[in-house]
Amino acid sequence: MPESRPRSGQTLAERAAFVREQARWIRKRALRMVFDARQGHPGGDLSATDALAALYFDAMRYDPADPRWVARDRFILSKGHATGALYSTLALAGFFPQEELTTYMQPLSRLNGHPNRNKIPGVETNTGPLGHGMPVAVGIAIAAQIDKADYRTFIITGDGELQEGSNWEAAMTAGHRKLSSLTLIVDRNRLQQGAGTEDTVGLDPLDDKFRAFGWDVVEVDGHDIEALLPLLDGSTPHERPLCIIANTVKGKGISFMENKASWHHGVPNAEQYEQAMKELDA
């Protein structure tokens, strides 16, 4: 079965350049969707885009023609409100026509504000209620361990949702069972709806918390594609679950959105949209 794209013979720099171009398209398409729908979560879309692009256009094994292929790698977007980025990624990867993105948030559209596995090919589980994605991902990784299957499970959480206790129950279980096929990417943009994470319920030292629960932990710039790829492509094996703390910027790539909590679910006006698209093209 096909992988997301062949990597043989390519340098890390070449692979990263390809992923970076996909990420640019995803950012622009996600912002257009939010602008047209007059609703969405652009700040979190933009902070998670580089990790999504690295997964779908380099690291993961999947077949968009057979979304339930048993040997596929699994991905869960626990921060389910970031559907602008997720749907753009899935459409670009071929799971459904890109033209359908124009229906985002419209009546009777499959592309709701939170992803639905019963409607959208490529979605592994319904998410939106924060803190639910991690337990599901751990369950999937346990199934792989029991079946001795070689597929991997990836999950992106927001950092704010790590204030939910269900994540830590799941983390404790994953560490106890040494779920080496499980990789968590924390979108660590340090902002949640209305305030900073450390002003709401502080998470630091986040790395020490995961290590205490039996995880391997790596902290990286979440927008550095060349740093992300070796952690995601299987070339860096780990015997325990892996937590990648990806330090990101909410609203990445758009000057007036960056590091602003108000853009958690803000919608640009026409002038702002035009400026944002120019900046993303730069």
Side-chain angles (χ1 to χ4, degrees):
M1 301 297 288
E3 294 194 30
S4 55
R5 61 185 295 268
R7 294 193 301 264
S8 60
Q10 293 185 324
T11 67
L12 177 60
E14 289 170 335
R15 289 163 54 198
F18 177 82
V19 170
R20 202 171 289 116
E21 282 307 304
Q22 313 317 300
R24 182 196 302 270
W25 188 93
I26 292 165
R27 280 194 171 89
K28 292 176 63 179
R29 199 62 189 81
L31 185 65
R32 177 180 167 187
M33 289 160 62
V34 170
F35 176 71
D36 288 344
R38 309 309 298 160
Q39 56 185 319
H41 295 82
D45 284 336
L46 298 171
S47 63
T49 292
D50 292 309
L52 280 165
L55 287 169
Y56 278 89
F57 300 102
D58 188 273
M60 282 175 49
R61 179 177 67 191
Y62 61 87
D63 181 5
D66 184 8
R68 299 298 173 194
W69 174 37
V70 69
R72 72 191 182 281
D73 291 330
R74 275 69 165 168
F75 170 73
I76 292 175
L77 180 71
S78 188
K79 47 176 281 179
H81 52 279
T83 46
L86 176 65
Y87 296 156
S88 297
T89 300
L90 291 176
L92 186 59
F95 284 94
F96 58 84
Q98 294 177 18
E99 292 76 16
E100 191 172 353
L101 296 173
T102 61
T103 72
Y104 182 57
M105 299 274 204
Q106 299 303 309
L108 304 182
S109 171
R110 296 193 297 176
L111 307 184
N112 297 325
H114 293 128
N116 187 329
R117 74 179 302 276
N118 298 307
K119 295 182 178 181
I120 306 166
V123 173
E124 293 290 342
T125 190
N126 297 21
T127 53
L130 297 179
H132 287 194
M134 179 91 115
V136 174
V138 169
I140 292 171
I142 290 173
Q145 187 181 65
I146 292 172
D147 291 342
K148 295 181 171 53
D150 68 352
Y151 64 79
R152 297 178 295 157
T153 302
F154 299 91
I155 176 173
I156 293 179
T157 68
D159 48 2
E161 75 172 290
L162 293 182
Q163 295 156 356
E164 301 279 355
S166 53
N167 286 305
W168 297 103
E169 295 176 60
M172 181 168 55
T173 300
H176 172 73
R177 297 189 65 111
K178 295 182 171 58
L179 298 178
S180 59
S181 67
L182 178 64
T183 296
L184 162 67
I185 304 169
V186 179
D187 184 8
R188 186 73 167 116
N189 61 39
R190 295 182 173 269
L191 289 171
Q192 57 195 96
Q193 182 172 319
T197 57
E198 303 313 291
D199 296 324
T200 307
V201 177
L203 296 170
D204 285 332
L206 188 57
D207 54 346
D208 288 344
K209 288 181 172 66
F210 272 97
R211 288 191 184 98
F213 277 70
W215 291 57
D216 291 333
V217 181
V218 179
E219 190 165 356
V220 298
D221 177 346
H223 303 300
D224 184 344
I225 302 294
E226 291 193 27
L228 285 171
L229 294 186
L231 297 173
L232 299 173
D233 66 9
S235 63
T236 308
H238 46 94
E239 296 182 356
R240 305 193 297 176
L242 175 63
C243 173
I244 300 171
I245 299 175
N247 292 307
T248 60
V249 175
K250 203 173 189 81
K252 175 67 176 177
I254 300 174
S255 59
F256 60 85
M257 288 189 184
E258 289 191 347
N259 289 316
K260 300 286 197 316
S262 59
W263 288 102
H264 178 81
H265 49 53
V267 176
N269 60 33
E271 183 179 350
Q272 289 171 324
Y273 175 73
E274 183 178 353
Q275 178 186 339
M277 295 299 274
K278 287 180 180 178
E279 291 186 13
L280 292 175
D281 272 329

